[in-house]
Amino acid sequence: NIHALYTEEDFLWIGTFSKGLNRYNLKTKSLKTYKKSNEPNSISENSIFSICKDRKGNLWIGTLSGLNIYHYITDDFTRIKEMEGVFVQDILEDIDGNMWFATFNKGVYRYNPETRKWTHFLHDANESNSIPFNKITSIYESNDKNLWFTTEGGGFFMLNKGQDTFISYNSSLGLSNEVVYQIIQDNENNFWLSTNQGLSKFNLANKTFKNYTVHEGLNSNQFNYKSSYKTDDGTLYFGSI
């Protein structure tokens, strides 16, 4: 049961559910497994959901319970205290070098490595510009370097850069369903969103949606977490159930 993959040089990092983090040597075919132990520098949890290497060479590991940084020299981990016990679903480094963390029930975290400042964004029912939902499934940086977030129950939303406010889009505007797993931008600048009620194509310029289900030829209306890919020729792939 694999939830995360990351390749670097001769190694493939493999995040599993309950079986720890694996590092596979593509040349020697050897496999090393990292699991939680009583050692303070072991990984925080054995279910791995996200892996991201930043521009400074830090390898961030998001788990079912906590965030870790892997240290290449000492071959061990630092557990990030600000994210202790948090389910980290996705990780992204933005164009400015900020680290963003999507969590399953704690909203969105941002870390600025220059100032070492953490910012936590949560849904506020009394604030229309807050994030719309605290269960975040993915983070995406579009061609114009805006950040987009998908949620499991609140549609999707975009960050207003410099303001720390958000613009939300949901089924009241035409989105096929409030549960959104992935978002990808095509070569015509449309955004495609996988949901549990088919695919939605979103035109940002005119704020319109076109929805596709099994009636338009999909194999299934139910899509899956972290299952999308855009090839070099612009073809989009989405994983369904």
Side-chain angles (χ1 to χ4, degrees):
N1 197 336
I2 296 171
H3 287 266
L5 294 170
Y6 179 76
T7 57
E8 58 172 357
E9 298 177 353
D10 296 333
F11 294 99
L12 173 65
W13 292 89
I14 306 165
T16 74
F17 183 78
S18 79
K19 301 298 183 182
L21 176 68
N22 296 313
R23 187 181 68 183
Y24 180 63
N25 189 312
L26 298 169
K27 283 190 173 180
T28 66
K29 312 302 182 185
S30 61
L31 183 74
K32 181 170 184 178
T33 300
Y34 301 87
K35 289 188 175 183
K36 181 182 179 180
S37 71
N38 293 328
E39 294 297 323
N41 290 329
S42 67
I43 199 164
S44 65
E45 227 280 345
N46 289 331
S47 293
I48 316 301
F49 282 82
S50 47
I51 306 171
C52 177
K53 191 172 186 178
D54 66 25
R55 64 190 64 182
K56 294 183 177 181
N58 296 307
L59 190 68
W60 298 79
I61 312 294
T63 78
L64 187 68
S65 181
L67 177 69
N68 309 259
I69 292 180
Y70 172 74
H71 301 290
Y72 289 86
I73 295 176
T74 54
D75 194 29
D76 60 10
F77 302 85
T78 293
R79 301 176 185 180
I80 307 302
K81 63 178 181 178
E82 289 84 356
M83 301 283 284
E84 185 177 355
V86 177
F87 182 169
V88 183
Q89 179 89 320
D90 200 11
I91 306 172
L92 181 141
E93 181 185 27
D94 70 19
I95 187 66
D96 300 314
N98 296 302
M99 299 301 300
W100 292 84
F101 305 95
T103 78
F104 190 67
N105 55 13
K106 298 289 186 181
V108 176
Y109 288 78
R110 178 181 65 202
Y111 175 65
N112 184 322
E114 300 303 321
T115 64
R116 298 186 178 181
K117 178 183 177 182
W118 286 86
T119 306
H120 188 193
F121 301 96
L122 285 166
H123 173 64
D124 183 346
N126 297 315
E127 179 52 67
S128 61
N129 292 327
S130 73
I131 71 173
F133 209 68
N134 287 331
K135 290 184 178 180
I136 314 299
T137 50
S138 71
I139 315 171
Y140 181 75
E141 191 170 57
S142 56
N143 295 338
D144 58 5
K145 305 309 176 184
N146 279 313
L147 290 184
W148 296 81
F149 305 80
T150 60
T151 79
E152 190 168 347
F156 65 105
F157 59 96
M158 185 190 79
L159 170 70
N160 274 320
K161 280 195 172 183
Q163 301 179 43
D164 282 353
T165 59
F166 301 89
I167 301 172
S168 299
Y169 302 90
N170 54 41
S171 59
S172 69
L173 301 173
L175 178 67
S176 63
N177 193 271
E178 305 289 18
V179 176
V180 183
Y181 298 109
Q182 293 279 272
I183 178 171
I184 300 184
Q185 191 172 18
D186 67 21
N187 288 345
E188 285 73 46
N189 292 322
N190 298 298
F191 289 90
W192 290 81
L193 301 113
S194 58
T195 78
N196 66 0
Q197 193 54 48
L199 285 174
S200 286
K201 181 173 75 171
F202 175 58
N203 185 307
L204 180 61
N206 57 29
K207 305 293 192 298
T208 58
F209 290 88
K210 183 174 182 180
N211 298 320
Y212 301 83
T213 67
V214 292
H215 299 295
E216 284 73 42
L218 295 181
N219 290 328
S220 170
N221 288 335
Q222 176 67 58
F223 286 83
N224 211 344
Y225 298 97
K226 302 182 74 174
S227 299
S228 64
Y229 186 72
K230 181 179 180 179
T231 63
D232 291 338
D233 66 5
T235 302
L236 304 183
Y237 291 89
F238 294 91
S240 62
I241 294 177

